[in-house]
């Protein structure tokens, strides 16, 4: 009689997003990761795209189990708050995960957009709580989203990161093109928009403004935009510490006296 092979305890992954608990992107992601880890889902009850790292602290939050979102056996909870709120509540009420994974977002999160992305904010909240994190976003094909290839890749990446780990306060920001040719490690592009404000008139003739914009057309090959343009999954290691260390001495040189 042979004794069973000892195997490490199954890891736990908290899956969150900013598109809301009924988004097809989070469903595909949670179901794919469930093959490599124990998954629990905590997500906003309605879409929260663009809220960045907002935290709700002037009103109470509700945390509700939901069976209606199609996650099967995966425990799923909805919160009437932001993506970052979801991670705080999930970690405190359901126990500390080995990783926070956010997405899969409907649409890219690249370059400067990381600063207002709710998808990335959920991952950043993981880092703030000392938990490694991955953020995932899917680029559409003419407005249509197929999450299956990206979700399959996400599960493989999650398994690798659970195995290899990440340094403290760093995350992987992943953007998935419609037709995947391969994967590339990238840097954030210095992403700029054109036509960022559209001004029109309402039916009563009063002006209103719409924050919009189309991305600039050209990007470096080693950037996140360049990778997805070439059909590659873009994987950017991102650090929470935004300090410009190379500037500290220079700023000290012109700091006025008090
Ligand atoms: Mn979103």
């Amino acid at each position: 009689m042979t004794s069973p092979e000892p195997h490490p305890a199954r890891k736990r992954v908290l899956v969150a997003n900013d598109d809301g608990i009924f988004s097809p992107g989070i469903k595909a992601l949670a179901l794919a990761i469930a093959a490599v880890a124990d998954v629990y889902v905590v997500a906003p009850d309605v879409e929260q795209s663009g809220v960045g790292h907002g935290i709700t602290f002037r009103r109470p939050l509700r945390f509700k189990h939901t069976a209606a979102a199609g996650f099967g056996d995966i425990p799923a909870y909805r919160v009437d708050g932001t993506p970052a709120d979801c991670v705080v509540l999930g970690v405190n009420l359901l126990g500390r995960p080995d990783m926070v994974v956010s997405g899969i977002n409907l649409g890219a999160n690249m370059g400067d957009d990381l600063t207002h992305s709710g998808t990335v904010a959920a991952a950043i909240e993981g880092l703030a709580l000392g938990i490694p994190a991955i953020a995932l976003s899917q680029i559409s094909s003419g407005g249509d989203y197929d999450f299956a290839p990206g979700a399959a890749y996400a599960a493989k990446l999650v398994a690798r990161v659970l195995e290899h780990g990440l340094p403290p306060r760093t995350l992987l920001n992943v953007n998935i093109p419609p037709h995947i040719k391969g994967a590339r490690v990238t840097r954030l592009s210095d992403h700029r928009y054109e036509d960022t404000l559209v001004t029109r008139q309402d039916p009563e003739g009063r002006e209103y403004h719409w924050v919009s914009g189309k991305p600039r057309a050209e990007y470096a090959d080693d950037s996140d935009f360049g990778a997805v343009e070439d059909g590659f999954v873009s994987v950017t290691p991102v650090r929470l510490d935004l300090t410009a260390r190379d500037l500290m001495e220079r700023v000290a040189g012109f700091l006025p006296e008090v």
Side-chain angles (χ1 to χ4, degrees):
M1 199 173 116
T2 56
S3 58
E5 281 290 310
H7 58 84
R10 236 167 114 80
K11 304 278 189 178
R12 300 182 79 215
V13 172
L14 167 56
V15 173
N17 77 346
D18 79 350
D19 292 331
I21 194 138
F22 296 104
S23 165
I26 193 169
K27 199 163 107 180
L29 181 62
L31 292 170
I33 296 175
V36 299
D38 287 340
V39 172
Y40 51 111
V41 172
V42 184
D45 56 359
V46 293
E47 189 184 345
Q48 296 281 317
S49 294
V51 300
H53 201 171
I55 298 273
T56 304
F57 55 84
R58 298 224 182 268
R59 64 169 176 86
L61 290 167
R62 302 291 174 176
F63 186 78
K64 290 185 177 164
H65 181 260
T66 178
F71 291 100
D73 293 337
I74 298 169
Y77 296 80
R78 60 190 156 89
V79 175
D80 58 340
T82 66
D85 291 335
C86 291
V87 174
V88 174
L89 267 63
V91 168
N92 283 282
L93 299 177
L94 301 176
R96 203 173 170 77
D98 297 288
M99 190 186 299
V100 171
V101 181
S102 180
I104 299 173
N105 189 59
L106 282 88
N109 280 301
M110 302 189 285
D112 299 346
D113 288 350
L114 263 64
T115 55
H116 66 246
S117 165
T119 304
V120 176
I124 288 175
E125 188 56 33
L127 302 188
L129 298 170
I131 302 161
I134 300 177
L136 297 126
S137 304
Q138 175 72 51
I139 291 130
S140 78
S141 173
D144 293 327
Y145 287 95
D146 177 9
F147 291 103
Y153 187 76
K156 288 200 263 185
L157 184 61
V158 165
R160 284 290 169 90
V161 173
L162 285 171
E163 184 189 341
H164 292 268
L166 285 172
R169 292 162 68 80
T170 55
L171 62 85
L172 297 182
N173 184 51
V174 180
N175 282 272
I176 304 153
H179 306 288
I180 301 175
K181 287 188 202 159
R184 190 186 285 173
V185 176
T186 58
R187 63 175 175 84
L188 298 180
S189 54
D190 52 342
H191 181 201
R192 299 207 188 283
Y193 284 103
E194 294 161 353
D195 306 327
T196 48
L197 189 66
V198 176
T199 298
R200 291 189 181 145
Q201 286 192 339
D202 73 13
E204 315 239 321
R206 295 169 299 206
E207 269 189 359
Y208 66 87
H209 309 282
W210 200 292
V211 178
S212 177
K214 54 175 192 277
R216 202 184 49 183
E218 287 167 23
Y219 305 99
D221 285 348
D222 66 342
S223 73
D224 46 10
F225 264 84
V228 299
E229 286 280 310
D230 292 346
F232 284 74
V233 177
S234 163
V235 181
T236 311
V238 174
R239 201 168 266 139
L240 182 52
D241 183 355
L242 301 176
T243 312
R245 290 177 197 286
D246 55 329
L247 277 187
M248 290 172 69
E249 206 177 311
R250 211 182 118 201
V251 173
F254 61 72
L255 209 61
E257 283 183 23
V258 177

